[in-house]
Each structure stands twice: as C-alpha cells, then as structure tokens.
Amino acid sequence: DTPIPDPEVTPEDQPVRTSTPGGGSSQASAEGELAFDSNLRAGPGLSFDVIDQARAGTKLPIVGRDVLGRWLLVRTADGL
C-alpha cells in the first residue's frame, strides 16, 4: 500500500457527538463521501496513528466532528 499524504492541519479538540433535532445523540446523523483518498486516524490530528485508509468515493457515516469542523468522526464497515 502506498501511503496517502495528509493535508497540513493542526490538531484540534476531540470530536463531539452530533445531535438530532429532537435533542438526542445519533449514531450516524449524516453520511459523507470522500472527495479524495484519505487516511483514517485514531483521533483528530496528524499526531494520531493512521488506523485505516479509504479511497475517493467511499461513503462513510459521520458520527461526530471537532468544534471547528475540520475533523470528522466516521464509522467504517469494520466498526472503526
């Protein structure tokens, strides 16, 4: 496997759960499609280990984000 370069972004706060309009927390409130090949990391920052990779076009459920919206917490088919 060829490593996929990461964009230069500084680490941000831990992801937060997104909430549903009714006020509860949702396991997957949205789905995103990757615009380019991406490294999936153990946390929101380049200092976290790469735990998986996903190709452009992959659709993943979004279950959280950091406060600035730069990093998304996603669920893979493997449950990561």
Side-chain angles (χ1 to χ4, degrees):
D1 289 324
T2 304
I4 300 168
D6 287 310
E8 289 191 31
V9 180
T10 56
E12 299 299 331
D13 295 331
Q14 290 295 325
V16 294
R17 285 242 180 248
T18 55
S19 59
T20 59
S25 181
S26 172
Q27 282 300 102
S29 61
E31 182 175 80
E33 182 174 341
L34 297 175
F36 47 86
D37 294 348
S38 300
N39 287 324
L40 304 181
R41 296 186 169 273
L46 299 178
S47 61
F48 290 90
D49 290 336
V50 174
I51 57 173
D52 203 353
Q53 294 179 332
R55 296 288 175 205
T58 301
K59 293 182 180 180
L60 297 169
I62 300 169
V63 295
R65 61 171 175 77
D66 72 324
V67 239
L68 297 177
R70 293 184 189 173
W71 295 90
L72 298 175
L73 177 62
V74 297
R75 176 101 35 228
T76 66
D78 297 333
L80 300 175

